[in-house]
Amino acid sequence: NVNAGWAAISADGETILCGLAQGDELPAHALTRTDDRGRHWSACAVLDENGAAVADGCRVKVFSDRVWPEVFYGFGGKGELYASGDRGRTFVRIAPPQGFPAYDLAGIDSRQQFEIRVQAGAAGVIWLALGDAGLWRLAYQRGADAMAGERLTPQGDTVYRVGLGKAAPGAEVPALYINGILRGAYGFYRSLDGGRHFDRINGARQMYGDIRSIAGDPREFGRYYIATGTRGVLYGEPLEDV
């Protein structure tokens, strides 16, 4: 079990960012970028809100926007949020929305009970499963270089994993798939209205042990995939379609 690191590719495929891992951690000083498919690399600058380089020991995990090729996002080890508008050359810390938890979001996926998904086809939209802090939707305001956001699940609900899939016929938002505890019941849930309402999509005998990730199919509405720690990759479909 060796982690090479974490990579993000711009929406147009021209820029690749790679954070070199130290164990399960992604140090900010080890974040690099290339514009020529890896022939040449340079270091990314990760700055605090005052424009100074972040301190040694700071960590960051990066994601690309799915529409704006110049924009990348960074998530820190204490809930810090960063944004880059120059293809990852420079990341600057931006203020989180009110109530956003100071959780460690800079670890390798599957090694922590949080999941981050940037929405395809929608500029600036990010979904986060934040454990006992629930499900969040963030919206990057590019002109103001600010991040708005809201918690979508009520206090007491826990969301471990989140994935996006093809929208329901006639819907304007992608189908959301989550794994967690809603209204006291652990399981897998789907929302067709942007996280306002959820329906459970598994039964009492369909738990599947350790869950590492969940994702909806981008082309087939209703199909979703579950990555488990012990039982491989599983998929589900609506009963009426099976």
Side-chain angles (χ1 to χ4, degrees):
N1 292 326
V2 176
N3 294 314
W6 183 262
I9 303 176
S10 62
D12 60 3
E14 296 298 321
T15 301
I16 302 172
L17 269 59
C18 182
L20 305 178
Q22 292 183 355
D24 293 338
E25 299 185 346
L26 296 165
H29 72 264
L31 182 61
T32 60
R33 62 180 304 281
T34 177
D35 289 321
D36 57 9
R37 307 298 175 91
R39 288 187 290 272
H40 302 89
W41 293 86
S42 59
C44 302
V46 183
L47 310 178
D48 63 20
E49 59 274 16
N50 298 316
V54 297
D56 290 343
C58 286
R59 296 177 291 120
V60 63
K61 180 162 65 175
V62 294
F63 295 80
S64 63
D65 191 88
R66 301 300 192 254
V67 174
W68 295 320
E70 303 85 5
V71 175
F72 286 82
Y73 308 106
F75 296 86
K78 297 180 180 179
E80 307 98 325
L81 302 180
Y82 300 87
S84 171
D86 59 3
R87 291 185 174 269
R89 293 179 178 85
T90 305
F91 283 84
V92 178
R93 188 179 300 170
I94 57 177
Q98 184 175 5
F100 191 75
Y103 288 170
D104 182 358
L105 303 177
I108 295 291
D109 268 22
S110 84
R111 299 299 182 93
Q112 56 186 14
Q113 289 286 15
F114 306 124
E115 196 155 50
I116 302 170
R117 294 282 180 253
V118 183
Q119 183 175 326
V125 179
I126 308 168
W127 302 84
L128 303 95
L130 295 179
D132 58 9
L135 177 68
W136 279 74
R137 179 185 184 275
L138 300 182
Y140 178 57
Q141 300 168 337
R142 188 177 183 183
D145 202 22
M147 191 75 77
E150 60 177 331
R151 176 175 175 159
L152 298 175
T153 51
Q155 296 287 336
D157 286 350
T158 302
V159 181
Y160 299 120
R161 306 296 181 194
V162 61
L164 307 174
K166 184 176 180 179
E172 297 182 355
V173 294
L176 287 176
Y177 297 87
I178 66 171
N179 165 237
I181 305 170
L182 301 188
R183 300 178 296 277
Y186 173 82
F188 304 93
Y189 296 84
R190 184 181 71 183
S191 172
L192 304 181
D193 60 3
R196 303 300 174 184
H197 304 88
F198 282 94
D199 294 314
R200 193 175 182 188
I201 55 176
N202 72 302
R205 299 180 64 184
Q206 300 169 312
M207 296 299 186
Y208 308 121
D210 180 23
I211 307 302
R212 299 299 181 93
S213 187
I214 189 169
D217 193 299
R219 297 183 178 89
E220 187 74 24
F221 169 68
R223 182 179 295 164
Y224 64 100
Y225 306 91
I226 302 169
T228 75
T230 55
R231 300 188 61 179
V233 177
L234 309 175
Y235 77 94
E237 293 179 330
L239 289 174
E240 62 269 24
D241 293 340
V242 176

